Amino acid sequence: MLGIRPRHRIIQPDWTDYMAQRERHAKDPAIQRFFATPLPSGDTPIADVPMVALDLETTGLDERRHAIVSIGVVPFTLDRIKLAERRYWVVKPTRTLSGSSIAFHHITHSEVADAPDLDVVLDELLGTLAGHLVVVHFRNIERPFLDTAIKARRGEGVMFPMIDTMSLEARIHRQTLWARFRRWLGRPPVSIRLNASRARYGLPAYQGHHALVDALATAELLQAQIATHYQPDTPLKNIWC
């Protein structure tokens, strides 16, 4: 694949100021500790940023009607994936599992029967994420589901900056002049799903819809994206959202 370095930069919120404000106003101790842990500034080169890939499996796509059933977390940097520090939790959803959701993520009624509520593992999860830049593939799942679930249990949500590997693929394959020309010709858009995106970088296909495996797949994908389209000194603010 040709190295394409996106020249545009999306204007981002002032995450440093936001995190400081949340620390001052947070009432829950674990949430306060999370926001009190410094994140790298937006000017930090991506090569110097400690990251953690996060994936959630859920009972559906609407955070108002569906619930989290598993969480996978894999810490990493551009040079190393820290599999020894990986974490995986199955949690009891607040909604009954449906046949379609079981077929999708393969987590069964028996597996969630004795699983803890998210609230039980939440302090540990927030401690694992604290101080790291969270990397996901499609933030419109992880961000609203986590925020809604935490708000329901602790009375206050948790929002924070993320790198979205799907969004990075969209910049290259959905938002360029060439991509718009393809659409004008009536050609289908290039897939930016996780396995399709990985295939473009020669990464192997993994069994999907397992939170830990998808977190690992996302970490590897970001490493490949940065190596192909960016530079190690690319400022974090150019790619976080």
Side-chain angles (χ1 to χ4, degrees):
M1 177 184 292
L2 294 176
I4 304 170
R5 294 188 176 88
R7 297 180 180 178
H8 67 285
R9 187 182 67 184
I10 298 173
I11 296 174
Q12 303 294 349
D14 185 342
W15 284 112
T16 302
D17 182 63
Y18 168 81
M19 300 285 283
Q21 288 188 41
R22 288 301 312 274
E23 178 194 355
R24 289 194 296 270
H25 295 100
K27 296 179 174 60
D28 181 84
I31 292 176
Q32 186 177 51
R33 287 193 299 271
F34 173 80
F35 285 114
T37 307
L39 276 177
S41 73
D43 293 321
T44 306
I46 185 62
D48 298 336
V49 175
M51 293 175 280
V52 59
L54 168 70
D55 187 79
L56 306 178
E57 292 301 316
T58 64
T59 60
L61 301 178
D62 185 345
E63 73 278 4
R64 298 165 299 181
R65 299 187 299 111
H66 301 121
I68 298 168
V69 291
S70 64
I71 306 167
V73 173
V74 178
F76 74 106
T77 65
L78 287 188
D79 299 322
R80 180 186 173 202
I81 293 177
K82 303 177 181 180
L83 280 178
E85 299 175 24
R86 68 192 183 276
R87 297 309 310 273
Y88 176 68
W89 298 273
V90 173
V91 295
K92 183 175 294 185
T94 54
R95 306 286 193 276
T96 303
L97 292 176
S98 67
S100 59
S101 69
I102 292 171
F104 192 73
H105 49 61
H106 305 295
I107 295 174
T108 63
H109 294 287
S110 61
E111 288 180 87
V112 301
D114 297 320
D117 184 81
L118 174 64
D119 193 58
V120 175
V121 304
L122 189 52
D123 288 14
E124 188 177 2
L125 172 62
L126 290 176
T128 303
L129 301 181
H132 295 77
L133 208 291
V134 174
V135 181
V136 301
H137 193 78
F138 193 44
R139 65 187 182 276
N140 291 342
I141 291 293
E142 276 73 17
R143 179 171 277 164
F145 266 92
L146 201 56
D147 183 58
T148 299
I150 294 174
K151 190 177 297 181
R153 290 160 175 82
R154 302 290 173 95
E156 50 189 327
V158 174
M159 298 283 283
F160 45 84
M162 293 179 167
I163 296 175
D164 183 353
T165 53
M166 177 180 277
S167 178
L168 296 184
E169 285 298 285
R171 292 187 193 184
I172 300 161
H173 298 291
R174 296 282 181 91
Q175 299 167 8
T176 62
L177 286 173
W178 173 244
R180 290 196 288 269
F181 181 63
R182 281 177 55 89
R183 288 197 297 271
W184 182 78
L185 292 176
R187 296 181 181 177
V190 172
S191 174
I192 54 176
R193 296 174 69 89
L194 182 55
N195 271 339
S197 297
R198 286 173 55 84
R200 281 190 286 273
Y201 300 92
L203 296 171
Y206 290 157
Q207 179 69 43
H209 307 303
H210 184 287
L212 186 59
V213 175
D214 283 353
L216 172 61
T218 299
E220 292 177 343
L221 175 58
L222 181 70
Q223 289 178 327
Q225 288 173 320
I226 299 299
T228 305
H229 302 301
Y230 296 87
Q231 297 292 331
D233 61 357
T234 297
L236 182 57
K237 63 187 177 185
N238 284 19
I239 55 176
W240 71 5
C241 52

